[in-house]
C-alpha cells in the first residue's frame, strides 16, 4: 500500500487530518469563511505516494469542479500534474468518499460554464485569475 505523504504546508495537512479524523464533521470549511471544502486524494506522479489535497467544493450535479488556482501563484500547483498523470482520484465531501475520474476541461464553452460555478462558489477565484497570466486549469471530476 503506498504511503501517505502529508502536504508540507502545515495548515493544509492539519485540515486534512481534522477532516478525516472526524469523518467530515469538522475541518470542512476554508478557515472561518464557512465556505465548504472537499479533499481530493491523488497519486504523486513521481513518488507514487498518496497525496491529499483540500480544494473548495464546487459541485456540478454529481460532479465536482476542481480549480488549480493555488491563490493565483505563477505556477500550477503540483497536484495539477498528478491529476494529469493519474486521473483516478477519491473525493471526500464531508462523510462521503467517492471514487472519481478527472479530466482537464479544455472546451471553451464548458470551461466558461464551470468557471462560472467555481466563482459563484468561491468568488476569490476571479481575483486569483486576475493575479496571474497563466490560465488557471479547471478539472471536472465525475463518479466512476
Ligand atoms: N488550492 C487550490 O489550488 N485550489 C483551491 O480551491 C484550494 C482550496 C483549499 C481549501 C483548504 C485548504 O486547506 C487548502 C486549499 N488549497 C487550494 C490548497 C491546496 O490544498 C494545495 O495545498 C495547493 O493547491 C498547493 O498544491 P501543491 O500540490 O502544489 O502542494 C505543494 C505544496 C506540495 O504538496 N508539494 C509537495 C512537496 O513535497 O513540495 C509535493 C507534492 C506532490 O504531489 N509531489 C509529487 C509526488 O510524486 O509525490 C511530485 C509532483 C511533481 O511533479 O513534482
Amino acid at each position: 500500500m503506498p504511503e501517505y505523504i502529508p502536504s508540507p504546508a502545515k495548515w493544509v495537512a492539519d485540515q486534512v487530518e481534522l477532516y478525516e479524523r472526524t469523518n467530515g464533521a469538522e475541518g470542512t470549511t476554508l478557515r472561518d469563511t464557512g465556505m465548504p471544502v472537499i479533499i481530493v486524494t491523488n497519486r504523486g506522479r513521481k513518488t507514487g505516494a498518496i497525496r491529499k489535497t483540500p480544494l473548495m467544493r464546487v459541485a456540478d450535479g454529481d460532479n465536482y469542479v476542481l480549480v488549480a488556482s493555488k491563490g493565483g501563484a505563477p505556477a500550477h500547483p503540483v497536484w495539477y500534474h498528478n491529476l494529469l498523470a493519474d486521473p483516478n482520484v477519491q473525493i471526500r465531501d464531508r462523510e462521503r468518499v467517492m471514487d472519481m475520474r478527472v479530466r482537464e476541461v479544455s472546451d471553451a464553452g464548458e470551461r466558461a460554464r464551470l468557471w462560472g460555478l467555481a466563482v459563484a462558489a468561491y468568488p476569490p477565484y476571479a481575483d486569483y485569475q486576475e493575479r496571474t497570466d497563466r490560465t488557471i486549469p479547471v478539472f471536472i471530476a465525475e463518479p466512476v
Side-chain angles (χ1 to χ4, degrees), residues 5-9 11-16 27 29-31 35-38 42-58 65-72 75-82 122 125 128 134 136:
I5 305 180
S7 169
W11 68 282
V12 172
D14 288 351
Q15 173 148 27
V16 169
T29 60
L30 177 65
R31 291 189 291 276
M35 293 179 168
V37 165
I38 57 171
N42 58 100
R43 182 64 63 95
R45 71 169 178 156
K46 290 179 184 163
T47 62
I50 302 293
R51 301 292 188 164
K52 294 178 187 254
T53 306
L55 297 177
M56 299 318 293
R57 180 185 186 279
V58 181
V65 183
L66 311 180
V67 178
S69 52
K70 200 183 174 183
H76 296 329
V78 161
W79 61 264
Y80 167 75
H81 303 287
N82 292 347
Y122 185 62
Y125 280 141
Y128 298 161
R134 76 181 164 97
I136 292 178

Side-chain angles (χ1 to χ4, degrees), residues 1-20:
M1 177 65 180
E3 63 167 330
Y4 164 50
I5 305 180
S7 169
K10 188 170 177 343
W11 68 282
V12 172
D14 288 351
Q15 173 148 27
V16 169
E17 196 281 329
L18 177 62
Y19 202 133
E20 293 196 325

Side-chain angles (χ1 to χ4, degrees), residues 71-143:
H76 296 329
V78 161
W79 61 264
Y80 167 75
H81 303 287
N82 292 347
L83 295 195
L84 292 186
D86 181 353
N88 301 295
V89 302
Q90 278 194 334
I91 288 185
R92 172 183 275 276
D93 185 357
R94 300 184 73 90
E95 75 288 349
R96 287 183 307 135
V97 179
M98 300 152 278
D99 290 329
M100 312 283 277
R101 265 184 83 79
V102 304
R103 61 177 169 81
E104 186 173 6
V105 175
S106 49
D107 171 77
E110 186 183 19
R111 193 193 186 286
R113 183 179 74 82
L114 296 173
W115 183 255
L117 291 178
V119 172
Y122 185 62
Y125 280 141
D127 308 329
Y128 298 161
Q129 184 56 81
E130 287 298 306
R131 204 175 286 174
T132 178
D133 51 19
R134 76 181 164 97
T135 300
I136 292 178
V138 171
F139 290 89
I140 188 86
E142 298 164 294

